[in-house]
Amino acid sequence: MHRGTMFAIINDNEIWKSTQFNGGMGVDNLGKDCYKQLENVKNLEEFKQMIVDFNKKYFEYKNEILFFKADEKKHPFISDNGEIFYDYTKTNNQLDLFYDINTGISDSNSNYIKNLSNKPIEIICSNGVYILPPKDYKL
């Protein structure tokens, strides 16, 4: 099962994330449509609406929070039983949104990222560091 998550980078300290969509989220399947839709997203409200529309078209999750502001490792979500969760790490102005055994971030097989900020953002991926220009998107 190929899982996929969408991210919108608003600025250095604000990143939004979709729920994880489970099944068919590779770029050769539903991910292709996701990637194409991200191209037209210009702000946070459009990002949220894109997720709602994507869910309605392909998944119809009913009792899911479809999007939320992501938690950075320095400010994690702590559950009632003390478990710590976070969605990304930020070090030296680089964002790590992907699973890494050292950081403990575990997410989807494919992450679809849109930089809605006004400056380039360095994204750490499993195969290197990429600079994502303002208003651009990346798989």
Side-chain angles (χ1 to χ4, degrees), residues 61-123:
Y61 293 155
K62 304 247 186 279
N63 297 318
E64 289 258 346
I65 296 171
L66 294 178
F67 47 81
F68 55 93
K69 186 174 176 190
D71 295 307
E72 203 270 333
K73 185 177 182 181
K74 293 177 187 168
H75 307 283
F77 171 79
I78 302 173
S79 71
D80 291 340
N81 63 359
E83 288 182 281
I84 296 173
F85 298 94
Y86 58 93
D87 302 300
Y88 70 99
T89 59
K90 181 179 167 191
T91 308
N92 300 326
N93 292 321
Q94 292 181 330
L95 296 177
D96 189 345
L97 306 170
F98 299 86
Y99 177 77
D100 182 292
I101 193 78
N102 298 312
T103 65
I105 300 173
S106 178
D107 216 338
S108 299
N109 303 103
S110 294
N111 289 324
Y112 299 87
I113 308 162
K114 177 77 179 222
N115 181 2
L116 294 170
S117 77
N118 293 322
K119 67 179 200 174
I121 303 287
E122 290 186 43
I123 306 288

